Amino acid sequence: MKQALQILILTLILAAKTILGQVVGDYGTGSTTATWTTPSHWIICVSPGTWAGATVATLAPSATTNCFIRSGCTATVPASGTVECNNLTVTGALVSSNGIGSPRFLNINGTNVTVNGSFGGPADGLSLNIYNSNTTLTGTPNPSGFYICRLQPQVATSITFNVNCYITFVGSGIYCNGLATTYTINVGKTVSLKPGSNFAVGTTVAGDPATGANMNLDIYGTLTLQSGVSPSVISLANKSGFTTNLHVYGTGTLNCGNSMYAYSNGSASAI
């Protein structure tokens, strides 16, 4: 009975956090325009579920801070300075001051990136470094969309796409960075790689990567690569001793705009 009561209390606490959104100590943008690294552009929640009475921050967000880009606000990640948080929720707009040729990485240490506003843009360099072993990208972006220049794991991880999004970096837009990675695209969700952006184990698709990593790609939704003058490529090539597994399930679709590579020098590539 005691254990059941403890489980019930924990469940109610977790449910309350989900319903209320922000909790005490979470950061929210405090005005219609904000710069990520400017402490005074953030406010700190003091009452669960409301920003009423929030205090002005004296420090920029840290790796343990949950951050909210609030509706009506456009927040900018500047060209320099550490930008990091735990979980991220965007109902306004988050952009960077970099173009797609110079990815600007936001370090995500938590389990969720939720975009119900807009993130990046077609020519924006805003990118994600993932520092958690299990992170989900989710939400319902507004018409301005969810654009990730480059997605780069920093630890062995599972990354789930529970949202429609675009990858824009010319080169390996999604890759393993030398770390064991599972990528999952959920049912009904589409990940689209823009022209010239590739999905690969390493930073090259012209042969086996210099650094191998075990990669699983599980497609329950749709992965779309571009054809044309600057096509997108998916490469299953890997270094000897590592494996790449591609699973396209009954609800899944892989649109290969141009080519799928699987070179012979590496270990097994399974489809």
Side-chain angles (χ1 to χ4, degrees), residues 102-133:
S102 301
R104 179 64 168 114
F105 286 95
L106 169 59
N107 299 337
I108 300 295
N109 294 273
T111 57
N112 286 284
V113 175
T114 304
V115 177
N116 292 318
S118 65
F119 184 102
D124 196 305
L126 189 58
S127 303
L128 292 174
N129 273 336
I130 303 299
Y131 282 88
N132 195 287
S133 62

Side-chain angles (χ1 to χ4, degrees), residues 51-77:
W51 296 109
T55 58
V56 177
T58 58
L59 297 172
S62 72
T64 60
T65 308
N66 295 324
C67 289
F68 291 75
I69 309 302
R70 299 167 64 199
S71 181
C73 174
T74 296
T76 300
V77 171

Side-chain angles (χ1 to χ4, degrees), residues 190-242:
T190 299
V191 176
S192 300
L193 277 73
K194 306 300 282 185
S197 187
N198 304 320
F199 202 132
V201 172
T203 56
T204 180
V205 295
D208 293 333
T211 302
N214 294 325
M215 182 175 82
N216 293 309
L217 173 54
D218 296 328
I219 303 175
Y220 297 89
T222 302
L223 175 62
T224 296
L225 298 99
Q226 305 296 319
S227 59
V229 177
S230 299
S232 299
V233 171
I234 181 169
S235 177
L236 306 182
N238 216 326
K239 192 173 182 180
S240 180
F242 299 91

Side-chain angles (χ1 to χ4, degrees), residues 237-269:
N238 216 326
K239 192 173 182 180
S240 180
F242 299 91
T243 59
T244 308
N245 295 302
L246 168 63
H247 305 112
V248 182
Y249 294 90
T251 56
T253 300
L254 172 59
N255 295 313
C256 285
N258 185 269
S259 301
M260 178 187 292
Y261 296 152
Y263 292 95
S264 59
N265 294 333
S267 188
S269 296

